[in-house]
Amino acid sequence: MRYRTLLFASPGLAMVLSLAACGDEQAKGTPADKPSGTTSVQPSGTPADTLTINVKASKEAPAKTWTLNCEPPGGDHPKVADACAALTKAKDPFKPVPKEQQCTMIYGGPELATVKGTWQGKEINAEFSRDDGCQLHRWEQVGPLFGPVPKVR
């Protein structure tokens, strides 16, 4: 009886421990060399917090594009204040998921987004998807940035 309990408890414990860091952008690990979405410091004198957001309902769908300025608030984004608040609240909103990070296979939908511009003086070129648990967490962390996602046709 003891061995049967051990037989069933070990895989369950291993699964819980492996999923503990899933979806957590703060998980320890070394980022891969220069993945998309890396940031670099802009030269001084360039405007901060100016972003262009492209959101697609799916890979084949047309993109909806907005501009967003947070200092001072502006652009044609439908909810400037909410988007800027979400970006300010997120610790590192454009940091990509490290390649070696284990993620749950939770599919969140076909939506895709790209964000380019500057944020807090850093050059931004980030891609977002909802392909797995880590990407889904990353998307939801800054969800207001993407505005109303167009419907899949």
Side-chain angles (χ1 to χ4, degrees), residues 5-151:
T5 303
L6 185 60
L7 180 68
F8 291 117
S10 296
L13 182 59
M15 182 180 73
V16 168
L17 292 175
S18 69
L19 294 176
C22 190
D24 183 6
E25 294 290 327
Q26 310 287 323
K28 290 186 171 50
T30 55
D33 292 340
K34 212 76 163 148
S36 73
T38 58
T39 58
S40 61
V41 176
Q42 280 278 69
S44 61
T46 58
D49 304 344
T50 302
L51 301 169
T52 300
I53 302 107
N54 290 306
V55 182
K56 297 170 75 171
S58 69
K59 194 178 281 189
E60 299 81 23
K64 178 70 178 166
T65 303
W66 292 287
T67 57
L68 176 68
N69 302 321
C70 288
E71 290 187 26
D76 61 356
H77 192 282
K79 295 188 176 184
V80 173
D82 292 343
C84 291
L87 287 174
T88 302
K89 184 179 176 185
K91 185 169 184 164
D92 194 354
F94 302 108
K95 180 181 178 184
V97 175
K99 288 187 179 192
E100 70 278 352
Q101 184 164 337
Q102 294 181 353
C103 301
T104 59
M105 297 309 297
I106 298 173
Y107 181 69
E111 298 85 3
L112 301 167
T114 59
V115 180
K116 295 181 181 182
T118 56
W119 174 252
Q120 297 181 343
K122 296 178 183 175
E123 184 179 340
I124 302 299
N125 185 5
E127 296 178 1
F128 291 82
S129 71
R130 298 168 56 90
D131 291 340
D132 59 43
C134 296
Q135 295 295 341
L136 187 57
H137 170 75
R138 191 170 168 248
W139 180 289
E140 290 175 354
Q141 183 180 10
V142 293
L145 177 64
F146 307 122
V149 177
K151 302 288 183 208

